[in-house]
Amino acid sequence: MNTSKTTYSEELVFRPLPQLVIDANVNPQEFAAAQAAAQADYLAYWEDAAHELEWFHKWDAVLDTTNAPHYHWFPGGQCNIVHNALDRHITTGNKNKLALIWEGEAGDSKKYTYYELYREVNRLANALRSLGISKGDRVVLYLPLIPQTMITMLACAKIGAVHCMVFSGFSAKILRQRVVETQAKVVVTADGFYRNGHLIALKTLVDEALMGGSDSVETVIVVNRATLDVHMSEARDIWYDALIRQERSEAATEVMHAHDPLFILHTSGTTGEPKGVIHGHGGYMVALHRSLNWVFDIKPTDIFWCTGDLGWITGHSYVVYGPLIAGTTTVMYEGHPLYPQADRMWDIVSRYGVTVLYTAPTVIRMLMRYGHQYPRMHDLSTLRLLASAGESISPDTWLWFYKNIGHSQCPVLDTWWQTETGSCMITPFPVSVLKPGSVHRPVPGIMVDIVDDQGQAVPTGVQGNLVITQPWPSMLLDLDRNSQKYQSTYWPLKTHWYWTGDIVSRDEDGLIWIHGRSDDILNIAGHRIGNVELENAFLAHKAVAEVAVVGIPDKIKGEVGKAFVVLRPDFAVLEDRNEIIRMLKEHLRKEIGPVAVIRVIEFVDTLPHTQSGKIARHILKDREAGIAKDPSLLAES
Ligand code: WT7
């Protein structure tokens, strides 16, 4: 592996404003003390965190390593995440506080206090019980971003059933696969929903998925979201409203073991073929609680908006469970950020007074294209913290977000984590000194290392594989029905080294920089160059709106780069494409050096994305290699 320059703009450094440091839940001294304490005894650190939540019965030990790499956190502990996310708030001042602010794409909205949400969840929990659903049963959710989705997740968890969300943009074919794999007894869906001005029919896709029957599915519950005329199969289908109409608004909360499964969620395909990741009640709630209070610095007055879809881990952890455990107000928006125009997100921020905004680089890049006149139409002064996740945020995108949305007052937290990790692993804190493009340091209690393919630690500035060297509470429990794959994918070298699959380096200040997934890193004449560095350099040029760089074979250098570039509108109209190519190649040479050999630049109107919105480089690579991919895996971007 080669030494590489971390990024071209590493000299940029941002310090937190004094007031922010004074108000922070964790100030720099407390952060340093927590880091040191966790380093010395990470089990004691997590045990302290567990004590902050309510348990029906406390654990016998913090961690059981007997079956490593299957780790049991808080063995003997009994709890239910919904007790901490809802039930316990009903006896405090949170009872009448807003738990959820929901807005539909058409502009309709609905608000729930903790008490109202609690009662709705209880009614559905009772209804699910009356359908014969109990602890350990699987329920597939094929639902858009509507309140009933959150209610259904919580109702399942309350009675000990395992929810399995299938993203509402997926096809009937994928839905069928998930139903078959999970052997779900119930599917919960909606008649339709609104997205980018279109009415999307969903129930018909469920009918298609279940055509010819399914061994396991006994009931399909249908939420009336769009008053669509749908076919209801008499023996199988029931309207959500009819189902809960007679139900009582109190329901017993199932006592779960800390290690009992809470949900199954399939990875988005960033980390190879989708895998059914299982998360549990106990450890997951403990890590999320720390994450909201420490990383997101939650205060009683916050309005927290994570824009992730409930079909992905970001939605599970930072729209539903994390914010509710923290007792904050969570915002959910059904529709598209460009509907009816590019200021929708800023409109939502100003109308509800959002204080913490957590989104993804793909969303920011899309909105950047429309220029700063859209954020300028709204009062964004309530914001105090910005955050990003899912992909590398290029320093230029970071700066745009920082200046135009945060008005240079709000830290931008670049949070690194995975479906498998359950909560943020590597991220700055609000009080950190920030370097745009770096994900900073692991949070207290998380131990990482950077190693070569043989497992030897690499020196400062050298790229290597990111491994997490101690188990952590919100880690996946297993892969659904595939323990062997769990072992070989995540623990290939040692049973206590979780292999992330990301290539990273550490700079002289000890900060971590992500260079890409190991499959996406280029090897040009023996030099390993992250696709992230090449793409960031492209994004620093004013002509480029979006870009993906992939490696293509080269007789002499082994591999060279090919860039797929989406131009900004004012450059896209220019006739002389050769001149733009010349300009971009020269720009790359200046930013990175002669090693950055970009052989081909192809201009495209859009890039393929995974369903979760990330650039799907593997599709471009396969296309280059002439392999046609299943079009159902392509987003409608
Ligand atoms: C992969 C995991 C953030 C959770 C939702 C996505 C990439 C994630 C960052 C970041 C650079 C990032 C990694 C990781 N990734 N966050 N801040 N900077 N890359 O979870 O779909 O399971 O994807 O996303 O490559 O391994 P996921």
Side-chain angles (χ1 to χ4, degrees):
M1 302 203 182
N2 301 290
T3 310
S4 67
K5 198 172 161 226
T6 28
T7 185
Y8 55 95
S9 54
E10 66 188 44
E11 64 279 3
L12 279 178
V13 157
F14 293 84
R15 291 174 198 286
L17 300 176
Q19 194 58 44
L20 196 143
V21 178
I22 292 166
D23 294 340
N25 292 352
V26 181
N27 68 31
Q29 290 75 25
E30 288 162 337
F31 178 78
Q35 277 287 17
Q39 208 77 40
D41 187 348
Y42 79 107
L43 294 179
Y45 171 85
W46 287 118
E47 184 163 31
D48 274 353
H51 280 302
E52 289 170 4
L53 291 167
E54 291 183 8
W55 296 72
F56 303 131
H57 183 270
K58 290 271 164 83
W59 49 93
D60 303 327
V62 180
L63 180 67
D64 176 1
T65 59
T66 324
N67 294 316
H70 288 96
Y71 294 96
H72 281 212
W73 280 88
F74 308 111
Q78 292 180 339
C79 60
N80 187 309
I81 196 167
V82 178
H83 175 83
N84 283 290
L86 278 184
D87 303 359
R88 73 183 170 124
H89 296 308
I90 304 313
T91 56
T92 72
N94 281 344
K95 179 179 173 187
N96 300 316
K97 179 178 174 175
L98 281 187
L100 170 65
I101 299 174
W102 172 81
E103 183 162 298
E105 190 178 78
D108 45 338
S109 72
K110 200 159 165 43
K111 294 176 181 172
Y112 292 79
T113 63
Y114 272 90
Y115 188 47
E116 287 166 333
L117 189 62
Y118 164 83
R119 287 162 59 110
E120 285 299 306
V121 167
N122 288 343
R123 295 172 78 197
L124 183 63
N126 287 330
L128 290 171
R129 279 191 173 127
S130 72
L131 290 174
I133 303 301
S134 61
K135 194 170 177 169
D137 286 338
R138 274 103 183 259
V139 176
V140 161
L141 280 67
Y142 187 49
L143 282 163
L145 280 160
I146 54 176
Q148 290 86 349
T149 312
M150 179 186 266
I151 292 167
T152 309
M153 290 166 74
L154 293 163
C156 288
K158 178 138 188 161
I159 65 169
V162 180
H163 57 76
C164 174
M165 263 294 284
V166 178
F167 174 57
S168 55
F170 275 139
S171 61
K173 188 175 146 203
I174 292 184
L175 175 63
R176 182 173 182 85
Q177 275 170 18
R178 301 280 196 265
V179 168
V180 171
E181 275 165 34
T182 56
Q183 285 295 294
K185 283 192 181 171
V186 174
V187 174
V188 189
T189 189
D191 53 352
F193 66 102
Y194 299 92
R195 186 83 186 161
N196 214 1
H198 301 291
L199 179 55
I200 317 268
L202 210 53
K203 169 66 165 60
T204 50
L205 296 179
V206 176
D207 293 338
E208 196 183 322
L210 300 182
M211 206 154 43
S214 141
D215 299 345
S216 61
V217 176
E218 292 161 8
T219 313
V220 174
I221 303 171
V222 188
V223 178
N224 176 3
R225 160 69 188 125
T227 320
L228 276 181
D229 190 14
V230 296
H231 170 74
M232 297 290 278
S233 150
E234 209 173 303
R236 190 195 66 188
D237 302 351
I238 182 160
W239 289 102
Y240 178 99
D241 289 336
L243 182 71
I244 61 165
R245 190 166 297 135
Q246 305 291 336
E247 295 296 347
R248 290 177 50 245
S249 53
E250 288 296 329
T253 301
E254 198 71 31
V255 175
M256 306 298 287
H257 289 289
H259 199 71
D260 280 336
L262 167 65
F263 63 81
I264 300 172
L265 184 64
H266 287 75
T267 56
S268 63
T270 318
T271 51
E273 287 305 303
K275 296 181 276 290
V277 168
I278 307 178
H279 278 288
H281 278 256
Y284 180 67
M285 73 178 183
V286 170
L288 275 183
H289 188 233
R290 267 284 146 97
S291 186
L292 267 286
N293 284 313
W294 288 36
V295 179
F296 292 97
D297 195 42
I298 288 298
K299 317 278 192 232
T301 50
D302 272 320
I303 307 276
F304 183 88
W305 185 19
C306 166
T307 65
D309 193 281
L310 294 189
W312 311 118
I313 192 69
T314 335
H316 283 58
S317 297
Y318 292 98
V319 180
V320 180
Y321 290 112
L324 296 182
I325 292 170
T328 191
T329 302
T330 184
V331 176
M332 193 199 288
Y333 167 55
E334 175 189 40
H336 198 279
L338 294 180
Y339 187 85
Q341 57 173 25
D343 70 333
R344 184 59 181 265
M345 278 180 56
W346 320 130
D347 184 38
I348 291 175
V349 167
S350 69
R351 267 187 297 109
Y352 299 115
V354 171
T355 55
V356 182
L357 176 65
Y358 191 15
T359 188
T362 177
V363 174
I364 307 168
R365 285 194 304 262
M366 177 168 73
L367 296 174
M368 260 173 87
R369 270 202 242 175
Y370 293 84
H372 50 230
Q373 68 269 28
Y374 286 101
R376 279 195 191 151
M377 289 159 67
H378 299 278
D379 174 10
L380 304 179
S381 61
T382 53
L383 288 171
R384 63 177 191 85
L385 204 56
L386 302 174
S388 158
E391 283 180 292
S392 282
I393 177 164
S394 83
D396 294 274
T397 313
W398 193 104
L399 282 171
W400 187 87
F401 198 35
Y402 180 77
K403 286 184 182 151
N404 293 286
I405 308 307
H407 299 305
S408 306
Q409 306 282 306
C410 313
V412 174
L413 311 181
D414 183 0
T415 65
W416 180 94
W417 57 297
Q418 302 178 308
T419 306
E420 294 86 341
T421 69
S423 64
C424 299
M425 298 278 106
I426 309 180
T427 171
F429 271 43
V431 296
S432 303
V433 176
L434 303 169
K435 285 189 192 175
S438 161
V439 292
H440 230 260
R441 292 195 174 85
V443 300
I446 300 299
M447 267 36 106
V448 307
D449 213 340
I450 306 173
V451 299
D452 64 20
D453 292 347
Q454 284 70 47
Q456 295 300 316
V458 302
T460 299
V462 174
Q463 294 182 18
N465 302 285
L466 176 67
V467 290
I468 306 179
T469 57
Q470 298 287 4
W472 66 100
S474 60
M475 63 195 295
L476 72 166
L477 307 183
D478 204 347
L479 291 179
D480 189 31
R481 296 193 169 89
N482 210 341
S483 280
Q484 213 176 346
K485 191 162 184 186
Y486 168 82
Q487 192 132 355
S488 60
T489 308
Y490 302 117
W491 314 89
L493 289 192
K494 300 181 184 182
T495 53
H496 65 276
W497 269 14
Y498 172 87
W499 201 259
T500 66
D502 278 17
I503 300 292
V504 310
S505 65
R506 209 185 247 127
D507 69 15
E508 57 291 347
D509 295 322
L511 301 193
I512 294 175
W513 300 76
I514 312 282
H515 301 279
R517 299 280 314 158
S518 54
D519 302 344
D520 291 336
I521 298 283
L522 283 78
N523 192 336
I524 303 177
H527 300 278
R528 285 173 67 109
I529 302 192
N531 57 288
V532 168
E533 293 156 276
L534 297 167
E535 289 164 7
N536 285 356
F538 270 106
L539 287 169
H541 194 283
K542 58 184 185 301
V544 179
E546 209 177 12
V547 60
V549 177
V550 301
I552 53 173
D554 180 84
K555 276 210 192 84
I556 294 163
K557 297 187 185 301
E559 198 170 42
V560 291
K562 170 164 181 177
F564 296 85
V565 172
V566 180
L567 289 172
R568 286 191 187 229
D570 34 342
F571 283 85
V573 294
L574 296 180
E575 292 283 316
D576 192 353
R577 292 288 163 101
N578 285 335
E579 173 56 18
I580 303 181
I581 290 175
R582 196 198 54 73
M583 221 162 59
L584 288 176
K585 284 192 173 170
E586 182 170 330
H587 170 76
L588 258 278
R589 247 192 313 277
K590 233 173 37 213
E591 292 285 351
I592 307 230
V595 64
V597 183
I598 301 292
R599 176 72 31 91
V600 189
I601 295 181
E602 184 178 325
F603 296 108
V604 290
D605 292 334
T606 53
L607 290 173
H609 291 93
T610 63
Q611 290 278 5
S612 63
K614 299 184 198 192
I615 295 171
R617 292 178 197 83
H618 62 279
I619 291 178
L620 295 170
K621 253 191 269 182
D622 289 351
R623 199 182 284 165
E624 287 304 301
I627 303 165
K629 268 293 207 189
D630 180 352
S632 70
L633 293 176
L634 283 167
E636 78 278 23
S637 56

